[in-house]
Amino acid sequence: MHPLPHSLRWPLVAIALFLALGAIPAGVAFVLSPDGSLVGMPLAVLGGTPFDDFRLPGLVLATVVGGSTLAAAGLVASGSRRAADGALVAGAVTLGWIAFQVLLIGYVSRLQPLVALLGLALVWLAWRARARA
């Protein structure tokens, strides 16, 4: 039997997968194009940050944010006993990423509030799943 309630399992998978499928390709694009040209992000947004280009932020976006959300989707879909914990961590990582990003570069994309809302939804659903499991 799956440790997560069915009503929470598929929304968790969908949100985590959506976040992973956004973060991984974007992160890879930043690594491959550190000037931000592949994603249409001007290098000027990094002014005042410790970063000279998008290489390191892209690597973190692809591996940490994308990797944690992809792992969470896999844990939830496979029925792992740690699924809710994995989704909770992935949601927290996503929220941390967005908070840090906005702190450093400000509001530069309509995707920022969307990603924040999805990260919050992931945390909330995972929290509910933990309480029910």
Side-chain angles (χ1 to χ4, degrees):
M1 183 167 145
H2 203 287
L4 295 178
H6 185 73
S7 62
L8 298 176
R9 182 177 9 164
W10 297 114
L12 280 167
V13 169
I15 292 168
L17 249 171
F18 182 83
L19 287 168
L21 293 175
I24 294 169
V28 169
F30 279 125
V31 170
L32 294 176
S33 177
D35 66 353
S37 61
L38 275 179
V39 292
M41 184 69 64
L43 202 53
V45 301
L46 293 178
T49 73
F51 305 107
D52 295 326
D53 61 32
F54 289 105
R55 192 170 295 127
L56 182 58
L59 187 61
V60 172
L61 179 59
T63 60
V64 178
V65 179
S68 68
T69 52
L70 186 60
L75 287 170
V76 173
S78 71
S80 168
R81 293 188 185 279
R82 305 306 279 171
D85 294 333
L88 187 63
V89 167
V93 165
T94 300
L95 286 171
W97 166 262
I98 285 297
F100 190 66
Q101 183 185 90
V102 170
L103 247 158
L104 284 180
I105 65 172
Y107 177 74
V108 297
S109 168
R110 286 181 267 167
L111 289 177
Q112 289 168 313
L114 173 63
V115 170
L117 283 173
L118 291 172
L120 190 59
L122 199 56
V123 167
W124 180 68
L125 289 171
W127 194 264
R128 286 186 58 209
R130 287 183 79 216
R132 289 186 183 181

